Amino acid sequence: MSSLMECSLETIINIFHQYSTRLEHPDRLNQREFKQMVKKELPNFLKKQKRDEAAINHILEELDTNGDTELTFEEFSVLIARLTVASHEEMHKTAPPGKGHSHGPGFGESRGTCQNKSGTEQSGHGHGHSHGGHGHSHNH
């Protein structure tokens, strides 16, 4: 069975491809795919940051280091790193008072387990997905 961290990484990769395969190049997020992903997959971040369309466009432009108006997975991973840091900081701000190291809620709801969209725990079994003539396989 995959560890929680391995499962979380696989989830990030799968979500990227869930959106990147919708239009145009299957390994890049275009502006429309990126907006759909941010609105659907990061609603709590948007709410806490009071983000709007212009802000989402600005985020995309900032991440798009090669200026092609699309995000590669590498460019997308910078967003994930920044969100992880921001969520960690939020968890410290909302931590209950007292001694020791504790965390409050971050930008999302902490579940403690890795769950798929149906709400059931991931089993860790391998799976694959294919897009546009090439595929990815994740075996555990």
Side-chain angles (χ1 to χ4, degrees):
M1 184 183 294
S2 296
S3 72
L4 181 58
M5 184 176 283
E6 291 167 330
C7 185
S8 298
L9 292 170
E10 186 173 317
T11 298
I12 290 167
I13 293 165
N14 287 338
I15 287 173
F16 175 86
H17 285 295
Q18 177 185 335
Y19 289 88
S20 72
T21 59
R22 293 180 178 185
L23 304 165
E24 300 176 19
H25 195 288
D27 275 331
R28 292 191 187 103
L29 289 170
N30 66 27
Q31 187 176 37
R32 184 172 168 201
E33 293 165 333
F34 180 71
K35 283 181 181 180
Q36 289 173 348
M37 187 209 61
V38 168
K39 288 178 179 179
K40 174 103 169 136
E41 305 297 337
L42 299 168
N44 294 312
F45 167 72
L46 289 173
K47 207 181 311 175
K48 288 200 184 233
Q49 299 301 311
K50 298 179 176 71
R51 301 291 182 167
D52 58 9
E53 290 287 323
I56 295 171
N57 288 336
H58 179 71
I59 292 168
L60 175 66
E61 289 169 11
E62 190 176 89
L63 294 170
D64 182 20
T65 57
N66 65 2
D68 66 356
T69 69
E70 296 181 323
L71 295 182
T72 63
F73 187 78
E74 185 175 345
E75 290 168 326
F76 170 76
S77 69
V78 173
L79 173 66
I80 298 305
R82 289 178 184 170
L83 288 173
T84 303
V85 170
S87 190
H88 183 247
E89 289 171 359
E90 182 72 14
M91 292 169 88
H92 278 278
K93 287 181 197 172
T94 59
K99 293 185 177 190
H101 188 90
S102 62
H103 291 119
F107 289 128
E109 296 177 17
S110 179
R111 296 181 184 154
T113 59
C114 196
Q115 299 178 343
N116 62 24
K117 286 200 179 267
S118 68
T120 58
E121 192 170 332
Q122 296 275 16
S123 66
H125 297 291
H127 67 278
H129 56 268
S130 174
H131 37 90
H134 67 283
H136 297 270
S137 162
H138 307 281
N139 294 311
H140 307 282

